[in-house]
Amino acid sequence: QDQLVESGGGSVQAGGSLRLSCVASGGYSLGGACMAWFRQTPLAKEREGVAVAYSDGDIQYYADSVKGRFTFSQDNALNTMYLQMNNLKPEDSATYYCAITYDATWTGGRWTCSRAAAGFRIWGQGTQVTVDS
């Protein structure tokens, strides 16, 4: 039984937009969780962090390559997180994964989340995004 289910992927022309959604189920809640979107291309050895946030609304990280174009958001009542992707580029083509973990650390007066894929325990199955030039 999938515990994180992504949707919203697809094929778009460069400059277009997509909105990815990730619903947590199976007893998992976004409350108190670190949440993240990662992506991976077929030739990449590791998943690249795209956005990381804590459940209190603190968005802690965007990859430089997506800043100003991608926006992370969440709806705790729906147990859903989103990734709004605008002005998409061919290099954004990848399989996108959502992930959560409950391993935030209290650092400098805030809950701090890992930015690495290894720091996340629960994963979705991935959704494909293809951007045509």
Side-chain angles (χ1 to χ4, degrees):
Q1 180 178 356
D2 292 333
Q3 292 147 343
L4 296 180
V5 179
E6 299 111 337
S7 61
S11 296
V12 295
Q13 294 293 315
S17 298
L18 287 172
R19 188 193 196 203
L20 305 183
S21 300
C22 174
V23 180
S25 62
Y28 288 100
S29 170
L30 298 186
C34 290
M35 302 169 283
W37 289 96
F38 290 85
R39 65 187 181 186
Q40 188 170 22
T41 59
L43 297 179
K45 292 183 179 180
E46 297 179 351
R47 294 179 181 178
E48 174 193 15
V50 176
V52 177
Y54 187 64
S55 63
D56 62 1
D58 180 17
I59 300 174
Q60 302 184 353
Y61 172 76
Y62 285 110
D64 287 343
S65 59
V66 308
K67 284 180 182 176
R69 301 188 298 120
F70 290 13
T71 303
F72 179 96
S73 64
Q74 65 195 80
D75 187 328
N76 286 352
L78 295 178
N79 234 15
T80 302
M81 59 181 174
Y82 305 95
L83 186 68
Q84 177 67 43
M85 305 186 295
N86 297 329
N87 190 22
L88 282 160
K89 303 176 180 181
E91 51 264 41
D92 294 319
S93 297
T95 301
Y96 283 72
Y97 298 88
C98 61
I100 63 173
T101 191
Y102 300 104
D103 298 325
T105 57
W106 184 254
T107 306
R110 66 192 290 211
W111 289 106
T112 302
C113 301
S114 171
R115 298 178 181 181
F120 285 80
R121 296 174 183 257
I122 302 143
W123 291 82
Q125 81 286 358
T127 186
Q128 180 66 38
V129 171
T130 302
V131 184
D132 297 317
S133 59

